[in-house]
């Protein structure tokens, strides 16, 4: 410590800059968003990312291994596997996003209502218990079996299956918020029920909701793939990652590419969404700026270095 | 004191039905607050001070709470109003400040948003006007740099600043009555003095009555003109502040006064304590409620409940033996406290 460097005093950074800095100091979140944006771009730009038609059959090119022409090879009917994977991701994302949005919205309402009214609580939570009692895939299969295998019905089935998990999270978060003095303060200010619930409880339960929603997104993609693999999901000619796995199953020893590539993309998406969820949890936790485990580890390293100096 | 009281509570009872049975948290409390008067309500934890305050605004869940008696405010009985009418009283005519400034503000909104919301709940104002008013209120509370505070979130403020914000919120509609439920308990002593000073100032400026709930007798000495002492849901003594500190009549009041540490007391002197603890509300029997802890209790106290008697004009007490106790010098001398405060 020979000389003290003058400290540059600058204006405190704005809220936006702080948020950016926190985002980039959260490797889980950065990795998660990176994976998901690559996958999503690939799928959304499907007509441009591939020049093949996912349905066009070329019997001459059956079961071709991966090559420059067919990146992921071809299937038993000579369809380009890369194209089918890309369109399959589209279906997966569509199902996942719709389920998350609908189940998220309904779960939010159910959770808030249950936290507010004991009567609603008893009714809704018993229904949720009932839904929880069944294994989710079994329940989804039975719903699809009754309604018929269509994309819409798959979305409906998965929505019903995943509402309870969101409703419960929202309810427990809302119960905590409800006990805070500011809610009583709002009543003392003369605010009505709907104002308190909609404007004050809702924003306070949003961060656990978002985190849970990202996990629901991941599991609904996985469940949709399982349903399709079992033949109870998206109907056959339409490419979905589960359908592709099912097609590949019969020729798994002759054409590994037909199972490996769709499988890899399922793993990638689930991984990306889980990282995103974990990262969001650290990011949205108020006051957790230096509280996530990576920042802690970094701090510990710095401290150790300082001590050894 | 010939003018009509601002608030008059007559025989208020508040009963909660709980799983252990019905709990009478407030039992036959009568009190009044005159316009521009500060009345202190003191007592240990669990004696019904806060329940009395929140009963005035009917903040409890109506399904499990039963109110009795009358709460007269501006010519109306608050207990008879519909929920809709009650909402127009809350925050508008009567405001309340809670003890805990840390969780009294919604963490997801800025201070400005929350004050503006309180203003617009009861007054017609554009966002712009509400913003002006919010800024003015924050200035009134003497918070530093009010423009910036308007854009701050609650976690960016200290406890004292938050309590100032809470006061700004409570005053947003210029209430006639401010209920302050232990407003300074969570703050350190210097901030406490500032907040009390502020409340006194604002009382003068806005001409409102204050109901100050506290268990800190020095706060009472500093702020109030009249004091009501509560024990187990009942008023046990009521007097002008100087009278109460000079000549406390109820053994509970003198016990409270003796329990205050004195700066000029001898160093090795042990602090006085009232033996025992406040019993749970549903264990109350037909006797003087303080009898189990009272050093002067007799057979009479244990078999029959005393009523609130007027010992001298403006000084009411609920005790069988107040005359004997006073004659024997049982009452403590709390006047030192008045001088120091």
């Amino acid at each position: 410590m020979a000389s003290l460097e003058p400290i540059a005093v600058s204006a405190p950074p704005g809220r936006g800059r702080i948020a950016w800095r926190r985002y980039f100091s959260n490797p889980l979140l950065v990795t998660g968003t990176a994976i998901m944006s690559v996958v999503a771009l690939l799928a959304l730009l499907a007509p441009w990312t591939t020049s093949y038609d996912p349905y066009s059959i070329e019997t001459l090119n059956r079961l071709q291994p991966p090559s420059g022409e067919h990146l992921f090879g071809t299937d038993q009917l000579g369809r380009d596997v890369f194209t089918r994977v890309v369109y399959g991701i589209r279906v997966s994302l569509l199902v996942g996003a719709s389920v998350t949005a609908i189940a998220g919205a309904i779960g939010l309402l159910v959770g808030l209502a249950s936290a507010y009214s004991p009567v609603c609580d008893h009714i809704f939570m018993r229904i949720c218990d009932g839904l929880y009692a069944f294994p989710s895939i079994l329940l989804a299969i039975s719903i699809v079996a009754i309604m018929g295998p269509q994309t819409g019905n798959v979305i409906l089935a998965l929505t019903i299956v995943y509402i309870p998990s969101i409703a419960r999270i929202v309810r427990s978060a809302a119960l905590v918020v409800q006990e805070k003095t500011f809610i009583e303060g709002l009543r003392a200010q003369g605010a009505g029920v709907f104002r308190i619930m909609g404007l004050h409880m809702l924003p306070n339960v949003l961060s656990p909701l978002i985190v849970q929603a990202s996990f629901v997104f991941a599991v609904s993609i996985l469940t949709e793939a399982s349903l399709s693999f079992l033949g109870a999901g998206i109907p056959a000619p339409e490419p979905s990652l589960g359908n592709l796995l099912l097609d590949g199953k019969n020729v798994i020893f002759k054409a590994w590419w037909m199972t490996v590539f769709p499988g890899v993309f399922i793993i990638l998406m689930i991984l990306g969404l889980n990282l995103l969820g974990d990262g969001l949890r650290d990011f949205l936790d108020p006051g957790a700026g230096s509280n996530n485990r990576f920042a802690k580890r970094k701090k510990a390293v710095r401290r150790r270095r300082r001590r050894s100096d | 004191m010939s003018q009509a009281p601002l608030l008059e509570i007559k025989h208020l009872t508040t009963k909660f039905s709980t799983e252990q049975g019905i709990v009478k948290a407030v039992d036959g409390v009568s009190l009044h607050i005159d316009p521009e008067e500060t009345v202190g309500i003191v007592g240990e934890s669990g004696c019904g001070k806060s329940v009395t305050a929140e009963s005035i605004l009917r903040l409890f869940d109506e399904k499990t709470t039963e109110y009795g008696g009358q709460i007269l405010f501006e010519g109306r009985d608050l207990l008879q109003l519909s929920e809709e009418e009650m909402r127009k009283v809350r925050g508008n005519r009567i405001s309340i400040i809670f003890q805990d400034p840390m969780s009294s503000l919604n963490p997801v909104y800025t201070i400005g948003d929350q004050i503006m919301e309180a203003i617009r709940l009861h007054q017609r104002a554009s966002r712009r006007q509400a913003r002006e008013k919010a800024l003015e209120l924050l200035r009134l509370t003497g918070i530093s740099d009010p423009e910036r505070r308007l854009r701050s979130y609650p976690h960016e403020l200290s406890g004292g600043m938050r309590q100032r914000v809470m006061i700004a919120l409570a005053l947003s509609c210029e209430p006639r009555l401010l209920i302050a439920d232990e407003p300074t308990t969570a703050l350190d002593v210097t901030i406490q003095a500032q907040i009390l000073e502020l409340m006194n100032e604002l009382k003068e400026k806005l001409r409102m009555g204050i109901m100050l709930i506290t268990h800190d007798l020095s706060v009472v000495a500093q702020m109030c003109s009249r004091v009501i002492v509560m024990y187990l849901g009942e008023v046990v003594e009521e007097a002008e502040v100087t009278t109460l500190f000079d000549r406390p009549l109820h053994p509970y009041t003198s016990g409270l006064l003796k329990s205050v540490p004195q700066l000029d007391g001898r160093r090795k002197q042990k602090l006085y304590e009232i033996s025992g603890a406040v019993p749970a509300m549903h264990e109350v029997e037909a006797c003087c409620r303080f009898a189990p802890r009272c050093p002067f209790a007799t057979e009479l106290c244990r078999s029959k409940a005393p009523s609130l008697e007027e010992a001298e004009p403006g000084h009411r007490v609920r005790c069988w033996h107040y005359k004997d106790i006073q004659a024997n010098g049982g009452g403590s001398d709390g006047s030192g406290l008045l001088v120091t405060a």
Side-chain angles (χ1 to χ4, degrees), chain B residues 113-155:
Chain B
D113 284 338
Q114 294 187 54
I115 301 179
M116 281 157 65
E117 184 184 0
I119 294 169
R120 294 179 69 184
L121 262 174
H122 295 292
Q123 293 167 9
R124 278 171 176 277
S126 66
R127 277 192 69 82
R128 220 194 152 90
Q129 287 165 326
R131 202 181 166 75
E132 290 291 306
K133 180 96 197 282
L135 193 61
E136 190 189 313
L137 282 164
L138 280 182
R139 274 206 199 100
L140 204 62
T141 64
I143 205 165
S144 62
D145 203 353
E147 281 89 357
R148 213 178 97 212
R149 299 299 165 227
L150 222 48
R151 292 190 304 273
S152 302
Y153 284 89
H155 71 266

Side-chain angles (χ1 to χ4, degrees), chain B residues 46-101:
Chain B
C47 67
K49 298 168 298 192
S50 300
V51 176
T52 306
E54 289 178 34
S55 297
I56 296 174
L57 284 174
R58 280 176 36 198
L59 288 180
F60 299 108
D61 187 352
E62 308 261 321
K63 276 174 232 138
T64 54
T65 316
E66 200 190 316
Y67 301 105
Q70 283 182 311
I71 301 177
L72 300 172
F73 176 77
E74 294 185 331
R76 292 189 293 179
D77 183 358
L78 295 185
L79 294 179
Q80 302 302 326
L81 296 186
S82 69
E83 179 63 25
E84 197 61 33
E85 289 171 307
M86 199 58 217
R87 263 172 45 197
K88 288 184 190 139
V89 174
R90 293 185 190 131
N92 190 18
R93 311 301 298 161
I94 305 178
S95 281
I96 187 164
I97 303 174
F98 293 103
Q99 171 181 352
D100 174 21

Side-chain angles (χ1 to χ4, degrees), chain A residues 15 117-118 180-193 195 198-201 203-204, chain B residues 54 58-60 87 90-91 96 98 103-109 117-118 121-122 151 153 156 169:
Chain A
R15 283 212 175 85
S117 135
K180 293 273 167 68
T181 319
F182 72 83
I183 296 295
E184 200 185 359
L186 281 164
R187 299 225 311 119
Q189 274 170 29
V193 178
R195 173 175 289 270
L199 287 175
H200 292 271
M201 303 268 285
N204 277 292
Chain B
E54 289 178 34
R58 280 176 36 198
L59 288 180
F60 299 108
R87 263 172 45 197
R90 293 185 190 131
I96 187 164
F98 293 103
S103 63
S104 296
L105 290 162
N106 190 340
V108 303
Y109 290 117
E117 184 184 0
L121 262 174
H122 295 292
R151 292 190 304 273
Y153 284 89
E156 296 171 316
L169 260 178

Side-chain angles (χ1 to χ4, degrees), chain B residues 122-314:
Chain B
H122 295 292
Q123 293 167 9
R124 278 171 176 277
S126 66
R127 277 192 69 82
R128 220 194 152 90
Q129 287 165 326
R131 202 181 166 75
E132 290 291 306
K133 180 96 197 282
L135 193 61
E136 190 189 313
L137 282 164
L138 280 182
R139 274 206 199 100
L140 204 62
T141 64
I143 205 165
S144 62
D145 203 353
E147 281 89 357
R148 213 178 97 212
R149 299 299 165 227
L150 222 48
R151 292 190 304 273
S152 302
Y153 284 89
H155 71 266
E156 296 171 316
L157 306 185
S158 69
M161 288 205 259
R162 280 187 227 187
Q163 201 58 301
R164 282 175 200 268
V165 171
M166 290 313 296
I167 291 175
L169 260 178
L171 299 183
S172 59
C173 295
E174 295 178 14
R176 296 328 308 152
L177 175 66
L178 178 68
I179 301 171
D181 190 352
E182 309 200 15
T184 56
T185 309
L187 305 176
D188 66 54
V189 186
T190 46
I191 305 295
Q192 178 174 332
Q194 289 173 13
I195 295 284
L196 292 177
E197 184 64 26
L198 171 68
M199 282 176 54
N200 254 341
E201 249 173 58
L202 293 176
K203 186 189 86 170
E204 300 289 310
K205 230 179 254 179
L206 303 175
R207 305 180 157 274
M208 57 186 177
I210 296 182
M211 178 172 172
L212 181 69
I213 296 169
T214 180
H215 47 239
D216 187 341
L217 288 163
S218 59
V219 170
V220 169
Q222 189 182 344
M223 296 280 295
C224 305
S225 54
R226 221 146 38 80
V227 192
I228 289 158
V229 183
M230 283 185 72
Y231 185 75
L232 271 189
E234 286 182 336
V235 174
V236 293
E237 188 164 2
E238 178 188 344
E240 298 283 313
V241 72
T242 40
T243 319
L244 189 96
F245 279 74
D246 283 342
R247 297 189 302 281
L249 292 180
H250 198 281
Y252 180 60
T253 315
S254 31
L256 282 181
L257 287 170
K258 275 195 259 180
S259 318
V260 176
Q262 302 281 320
L263 276 181
D264 53 357
R266 277 180 287 128
R267 279 185 68 183
K268 293 259 167 83
Q269 191 177 21
K270 253 190 145 180
L271 205 55
Y272 180 84
E273 62 172 317
I274 302 174
S275 61
V278 183
M281 290 283 183
H282 50 265
E283 290 166 10
V284 173
E285 293 155 35
C287 63
C288 171
R289 296 185 178 190
F290 189 56
R293 302 172 68 193
C294 182
F296 307 101
T298 60
E299 216 29 64
L300 176 63
C301 306
R302 279 186 271 272
S303 55
K304 212 168 160 216
S307 60
L308 201 61
E309 278 179 44
E310 187 132 25
E312 47 191 345

